[in-house]
Amino acid sequence: MSIEIRSVSKKFSAFNALSDVSLTVPSGELVALLGPSGSGKTTLLRIIAGLESPDQGSILFDGEEATNRQVRERQVGFVFQHYALFRHMTVFDNVAFGLNVRPRKFRPSKADIQEKVHGLLKLVQLDNLAGRYPAQLSGGQRQRVALARALAVEPQVLLLDEPFGALDAKVRLELRRWLRRLHDEIHVTSVFVTHDQDEALEVADRVVVMNAGRIEQVGTPEEVYDRPANPFVYNFLGNVNLFHGRVDKGEARIGGIAIDMPELGEADAGPAVAYVRPYDIEINRQRHSPEEIEARIRFIQGAGAVARLELERLDSLELIEAEMTRERYKELALAEGETVFLRPRNMRVFAGDYII
Amino acid sequence: MKTDGKGMSEPLLVRWLLTGIALAFLGLFLFVPLAALFTQAFEKGAGAYFAAIREPDALLAIKLTLVTAAISVPLNLVFGVAAAWAIAKFRFPGKSLLITLIDLPFSVSPVVSGLIYVLLFGLQGWLGPWLDAHDIKILFAVPGIVLATIFVTFPFIARELIPLMQAQGNDEEEAAMVLGATGLQIFFQVTLPNIKWGLIYGVILCNARAMGEFGAVSVVSGHIRGVTNTIPLHVEILYNEYNYAAAFAVASLLALLALVTLVAKSLVEWKLKASG
């Protein structure tokens, strides 16, 4: 089932949780709502579920108006951040709940429910724990029970609120890969909320980057990572270095480097900020061109596949982060305190004095 | 870190002294009076004890107490659950006012509570003349006693449930709603099982107070023997008539109720801990 959100706004007293948000989630896609806390991503998810109602705008399921449809008629599966398992019910009863509360006419027979629940518990690899209570399960197990419970009612849409937020790093990693595989198997339209960029980039078909109640960018993980639409997205997705400069006459000057920006007209003279990923900072021991920036190495973290360096510009004393492969690091044989020459590649310039 | 290490505990003498004081205090103010009560009650033998309880006025007092509790406890159960549900699960204007109002019977002397009813329903009161004209008796009759008891015992269940339900939050109810449960299904299958032990605990306290209430009931009852006397009022009458043995015999019933309440309360507390 496809979901369409049409200019939805929501206020909580004076706080604008969502301002005029529009988004389309095509059927069968796995979409991540990514943003910092307070960006409105959970509110948007709850509005899709019907747990909150929008002040303005509408929600359409498969092109049909659903804004005022009752929560229980929306056929959505919702996985809560803190699982919200029924604490007084066993794992089996938790998963069976959605089937047991159906009106008698639509309720499957006891045997069918048995079969269905055990099938789902097998799917989430918890069939041997059907008789346990939530309190007796680990965080990862509870999360999978919550997922099985949501899937039991055969939802048209699966909504997950920070599904791995409360888990430790290793379980998180396992579970999100598992969620991706599960989605590839059952292909239910899914939306999940996260503040973890790695999670969004790894799991989702498309990433919706949100900030302060608005959508900043929608795109595939590659699109949002490689071609961020604006400084916020650049900053939010991964580490980044800032270089301040000016734009004038269709050209940006960042330090000694000139970059053509034909998209900017004559009128756009003013400050500009260039963004460079740490791995796009090239480090040399000798100066090759006058454009290169002189910097001193303050700190090196050489363990692991990627070496991370913290450098200080000699001219402005600003800090710069750089990353290089292990081989390059060994080849250069850098040491803390040395002076080196930096050359930023793939600069992305945004006009205006954007301050984080 | 071990908390029972030498450095963390008080000297032996201090511990013994503190425990001793607590036990002595408990003995002096709880067990001695309780023992005295039962000694006095059986002073004239078991025959006199049971006669005092089986006497028609005493039986009527017991019956009225039971009827009062049987009406006020269920009403407060419904009210308490409704109020706690509203306060814990919804945002609405006037919420803090409602919380204050629920606490009102705790902060007002029971005698004042009784007087409020006299002011409302008495012949000189606001509704008195109208009630009198329609021949409806509230004051100095059973309805007055029931009303006063409801008022006094009103906070017990709500007060017990509000923090519990606030701590549990809305998540499970929302989960049930998304899974297609109706309001009634959510209440009976999700909310009620989660608050069950807290609710029982509140009912036990509410019931104990409903049966033992003296002040408010005393003001509205009019002390009509065999008509508007509850157990506490009957004890007072017997006592004022220097009929000590009978007074203590009837009073021992309330003491027994207190003991049963304590046992039930500890059992539920233990269950609450186990399920929490």
Side-chain angles (χ1 to χ4, degrees):
Chain A
M1 187 164 75
S2 69
I3 309 167
E4 198 182 335
I5 296 146
R6 279 194 194 155
S7 37
V8 159
S9 297
K10 176 77 181 175
K11 263 188 176 190
F12 290 113
S13 47
F15 175 69
N16 276 320
L18 291 173
S19 334
D20 196 23
V21 166
S22 296
L23 176 71
T24 307
V25 180
S27 189
E29 228 177 45
L30 176 56
V31 169
L33 301 179
L34 174 67
S37 50
S39 58
K41 53 195 193 309
T42 295
T43 307
L44 184 58
L45 194 77
R46 290 172 62 86
I47 286 178
I48 298 173
L51 292 168
E52 305 277 355
S53 52
D55 297 338
Q56 271 146 40
S58 49
I59 306 286
L60 286 84
F61 286 159
D62 269 341
E64 262 179 66
E65 173 66 39
T67 317
N68 297 318
R69 208 178 280 175
Q70 285 286 316
V71 182
R72 41 195 200 89
E73 285 155 15
R74 289 197 187 205
Q75 292 187 285
V76 297
F78 201 103
V79 176
F80 291 81
Q81 187 178 2
H82 300 288
Y83 324 124
L85 296 179
F86 306 125
R87 66 195 88 185
H88 62 280
M89 291 183 202
T90 60
V91 167
F92 181 94
D93 289 335
N94 262 283
V95 177
F97 184 87
L99 301 171
N100 280 328
V101 296
R102 286 197 185 159
R104 199 171 302 271
K105 225 176 0 164
F106 305 104
R107 196 185 308 158
S109 72
K110 271 224 152 54
D112 287 347
I113 291 178
Q114 280 267 349
E115 198 189 314
K116 172 118 204 179
V117 172
H118 282 296
L120 278 164
L121 286 176
K122 274 208 189 78
L123 184 71
V124 299
Q125 299 150 13
L126 285 174
D127 203 25
N128 52 334
L129 300 179
R132 295 266 186 100
Y133 284 89
Q136 299 165 309
L137 303 178
S138 73
Q141 289 170 334
R142 285 182 211 179
Q143 189 58 282
R144 283 182 282 158
V145 175
L147 202 58
R149 182 179 69 178
L151 291 173
V153 292
E154 289 174 15
Q156 300 294 304
V157 176
L158 186 61
L159 306 170
L160 307 103
D161 185 8
E162 299 263 1
F164 316 119
L167 301 170
D168 59 64
K170 194 166 175 296
V171 181
R172 237 179 134 103
L173 209 66
E174 264 169 37
L175 216 52
R176 74 191 191 205
R177 298 209 168 124
W178 177 83
L179 175 70
R180 180 67 240 187
R181 282 201 306 275
L182 182 79
H183 183 264
D184 292 342
E185 262 172 55
I186 58 177
H187 276 299
V188 58
T189 311
S190 307
V191 180
F192 77 101
V193 157
T194 181
H195 61 263
D196 181 337
Q197 37 143 336
D198 292 336
E199 205 166 283
L201 296 177
E202 183 180 328
V203 176
D205 294 321
R206 283 201 309 152
V207 177
V208 178
V209 184
M210 294 188 69
N211 178 39
R214 291 172 197 281
I215 290 178
E216 300 280 355
Q217 188 175 4
V218 182
T220 63
E222 290 77 26
E223 275 165 10
V224 294
Y225 192 78
D226 294 337
R227 291 189 296 284
N230 57 41
F232 174 82
V233 180
Y234 223 118
N235 264 301
F236 196 71
L237 293 176
N239 291 334
V240 73
N241 291 297
L242 269 75
F243 293 94
H244 292 273
R246 291 192 66 78
V247 279
D248 199 8
K249 302 198 174 72
E251 190 187 67
R253 296 204 67 85
I254 309 291
I257 306 161
I259 301 161
D260 273 343
M261 292 185 72
E263 71 268 26
L264 295 178
E266 294 287 317
D268 285 302
V273 184
Y275 289 79
V276 185
R277 299 275 187 216
Y279 52 75
D280 279 331
I281 303 270
E282 193 187 310
I283 297 185
N284 292 304
R285 285 185 159 280
Q286 275 88 38
R287 188 185 278 280
H288 295 295
S289 80
E291 289 177 357
E292 287 175 350
I293 300 160
E294 210 173 350
R296 198 169 53 83
I297 302 173
R298 277 172 53 113
F299 178 72
I300 299 176
Q301 196 241 299
V306 173
R308 288 170 223 279
L309 281 75
E310 193 181 287
L311 304 119
E312 188 178 51
R313 283 177 76 154
L314 293 184
D315 51 358
S316 64
L317 300 181
E318 279 176 294
L319 291 183
I320 296 172
E321 272 182 71
E323 284 175 10
M324 60 179 72
T325 60
R326 196 175 179 77
E327 293 81 52
R328 177 79 181 146
Y329 170 61
K330 287 261 151 66
E331 187 190 313
L332 286 171
L334 298 170
E336 286 175 18
E338 274 186 284
T339 302
V340 291
F341 300 93
L342 311 181
R343 186 188 175 79
R345 292 176 299 222
N346 298 327
M347 276 200 182
R348 178 80 197 241
V349 182
F350 295 99
D353 205 5
Y354 185 83
I355 295 161
I356 305 144
Chain B
M1 194 177 67
K2 274 175 83 173
T3 49
D4 56 358
K6 272 211 163 112
M8 294 293 294
S9 69
E10 299 292 335
L12 197 65
L13 187 70
V14 176
R15 271 189 285 164
W16 278 68
L17 203 68
L18 285 174
T19 320
I21 291 174
L23 283 179
F25 194 83
L26 211 67
L28 196 64
F29 286 92
L30 228 65
F31 290 110
V32 172
L34 207 60
L37 177 80
F38 281 99
T39 327
Q40 285 278 345
F42 283 98
E43 202 187 33
K44 290 181 185 163
Y49 178 86
F50 288 110
I53 291 173
R54 264 197 240 116
E55 186 236 340
D57 285 351
L59 281 179
L60 277 168
I62 293 168
K63 192 180 141 206
L64 182 57
T65 300
L66 292 177
V67 166
T68 307
I71 297 171
S72 52
V73 173
L75 282 177
N76 274 333
L77 180 83
V78 172
F79 164 77
V81 172
W85 176 282
I87 285 167
K89 313 263 170 182
F90 299 104
R91 287 168 290 190
F92 57 91
K95 187 159 140 174
S96 52
L97 184 73
L98 182 60
I99 296 175
T100 314
L101 281 178
I102 289 172
D103 277 343
L104 187 71
F106 273 167
S107 50
V108 170
S109 160
V111 178
V112 177
S113 315
L115 284 173
I116 294 169
Y117 283 92
V118 175
L119 240 119
L120 265 178
F121 302 119
L123 267 181
Q124 272 75 43
W126 292 350
L127 302 173
W130 186 86
L131 289 172
D132 195 46
H134 291 80
D135 207 23
I136 301 169
K137 275 203 168 316
I138 288 183
L139 218 54
F140 311 129
V142 177
I145 292 171
V146 172
L147 281 175
T149 306
I150 288 173
F151 180 81
V152 172
T153 56
F154 185 85
F156 284 94
I157 291 168
R159 264 284 149 212
E160 194 57 46
L161 292 183
I162 290 167
L164 186 67
M165 288 170 93
Q166 276 175 336
Q168 288 178 349
N170 266 347
D171 279 8
E172 287 183 42
E173 279 80 5
E174 283 184 346
M177 191 155 68
V178 175
L179 288 168
T182 61
L184 277 180
Q185 284 172 325
I186 294 173
F187 179 74
F188 284 106
Q189 294 182 37
V190 177
T191 308
L192 200 59
N194 280 343
I195 61 169
K196 184 172 62 183
W197 291 109
L199 188 64
I200 293 173
Y201 187 80
V203 166
I204 290 170
L205 291 182
C206 181
N207 182 59
R209 183 65 189 270
M211 290 189 172
E213 173 57 26
F214 177 80
V217 171
S218 171
V219 176
V220 296
S221 100
H223 302 263
I224 306 162
R225 244 188 190 197
V227 183
T228 61
N229 264 354
T230 58
I231 299 177
L233 301 182
H234 189 63
V235 172
E236 195 209 12
I237 289 180
L238 291 172
Y239 185 83
N240 287 344
E241 289 169 349
Y242 306 106
N243 195 349
Y244 292 140
F248 282 112
V250 180
S252 72
L253 289 179
L254 284 177
L256 277 177
L257 168 74
L259 290 176
V260 169
T261 304
L262 274 177
V263 172
K265 187 171 147 278
S266 328
L267 274 176
V268 172
E269 264 171 356
W270 175 69
K271 266 284 183 191
L272 253 178
K273 232 181 250 162
S275 72

